[in-house]
Short mmCIF file of all heavy atoms in Angstrom, two decimals:
data_model
loop_
_atom_site.label_atom_id
_atom_site.label_comp_id
_atom_site.label_asym_id
_atom_site.label_seq_id
_atom_site.Cartn_x
_atom_site.Cartn_y
_atom_site.Cartn_z
N ALA A 286 45.23 45.04 100.60
CA ALA A 286 45.88 43.83 101.10
C ALA A 286 46.58 43.12 99.93
O ALA A 286 46.31 43.41 98.76
CB ALA A 286 44.86 42.90 101.74
N ALA A 287 47.49 42.20 100.25
CA ALA A 287 48.16 41.44 99.22
C ALA A 287 47.13 40.59 98.47
O ALA A 287 46.49 39.74 99.08
CB ALA A 287 49.24 40.55 99.84
N PRO A 288 46.93 40.84 97.17
CA PRO A 288 45.86 40.15 96.44
C PRO A 288 45.96 38.62 96.48
O PRO A 288 44.94 37.94 96.68
CB PRO A 288 46.03 40.68 95.00
CG PRO A 288 46.68 42.00 95.17
CD PRO A 288 47.62 41.83 96.32
N LEU A 289 47.17 38.08 96.30
CA LEU A 289 47.32 36.62 96.29
C LEU A 289 46.99 36.04 97.67
O LEU A 289 46.31 35.03 97.77
CB LEU A 289 48.75 36.24 95.88
CG LEU A 289 49.02 34.74 95.77
CD1 LEU A 289 48.07 34.10 94.78
CD2 LEU A 289 50.46 34.49 95.36
N LYS A 290 47.48 36.69 98.72
CA LYS A 290 47.20 36.22 100.07
C LYS A 290 45.70 36.29 100.35
O LYS A 290 45.11 35.37 100.94
CB LYS A 290 47.96 37.07 101.09
CG LYS A 290 47.73 36.66 102.53
CD LYS A 290 48.53 37.54 103.48
CE LYS A 290 48.29 37.13 104.93
NZ LYS A 290 49.04 38.00 105.88
N SER A 291 45.06 37.38 99.93
CA SER A 291 43.62 37.53 100.13
C SER A 291 42.86 36.45 99.37
O SER A 291 41.87 35.91 99.87
CB SER A 291 43.18 38.93 99.67
OG SER A 291 41.79 39.09 99.79
N ALA A 292 43.32 36.13 98.14
CA ALA A 292 42.66 35.09 97.35
C ALA A 292 42.75 33.74 98.04
O ALA A 292 41.76 33.00 98.12
CB ALA A 292 43.30 35.03 95.96
N LEU A 293 43.94 33.39 98.55
CA LEU A 293 44.12 32.11 99.21
C LEU A 293 43.31 32.04 100.51
O LEU A 293 42.70 31.01 100.82
CB LEU A 293 45.60 31.89 99.52
CG LEU A 293 46.51 31.70 98.29
CD1 LEU A 293 47.97 31.62 98.71
CD2 LEU A 293 46.11 30.44 97.52
N GLN A 294 43.29 33.14 101.26
CA GLN A 294 42.53 33.17 102.50
C GLN A 294 41.04 33.02 102.24
O GLN A 294 40.35 32.23 102.92
CB GLN A 294 42.80 34.47 103.26
CG GLN A 294 44.15 34.53 103.93
CD GLN A 294 44.36 35.84 104.69
OE1 GLN A 294 43.72 36.85 104.40
NE2 GLN A 294 45.25 35.82 105.66
N THR A 295 40.54 33.76 101.26
CA THR A 295 39.11 33.71 100.97
C THR A 295 38.71 32.33 100.46
O THR A 295 37.68 31.77 100.88
CB THR A 295 38.74 34.76 99.91
OG1 THR A 295 39.15 36.06 100.38
CG2 THR A 295 37.25 34.78 99.65
N ALA A 296 39.50 31.76 99.58
CA ALA A 296 39.20 30.42 99.06
C ALA A 296 39.30 29.38 100.18
O ALA A 296 38.46 28.48 100.26
CB ALA A 296 40.15 30.06 97.92
N GLY A 297 40.31 29.52 101.04
CA GLY A 297 40.48 28.56 102.13
C GLY A 297 39.36 28.63 103.13
O GLY A 297 38.76 27.60 103.50
N ILE A 298 39.05 29.84 103.59
CA ILE A 298 38.00 30.01 104.59
C ILE A 298 36.64 29.64 104.01
O ILE A 298 35.84 28.92 104.63
CB ILE A 298 37.97 31.45 105.13
CG1 ILE A 298 39.27 31.74 105.89
CG2 ILE A 298 36.77 31.68 106.03
CD1 ILE A 298 39.43 33.18 106.31
#
Side-chain angles (χ1 to χ4, degrees):
L289 183 57
K290 180 179 179 181
S291 178
L293 293 175
Q294 286 180 337
T295 304
I298 295 173

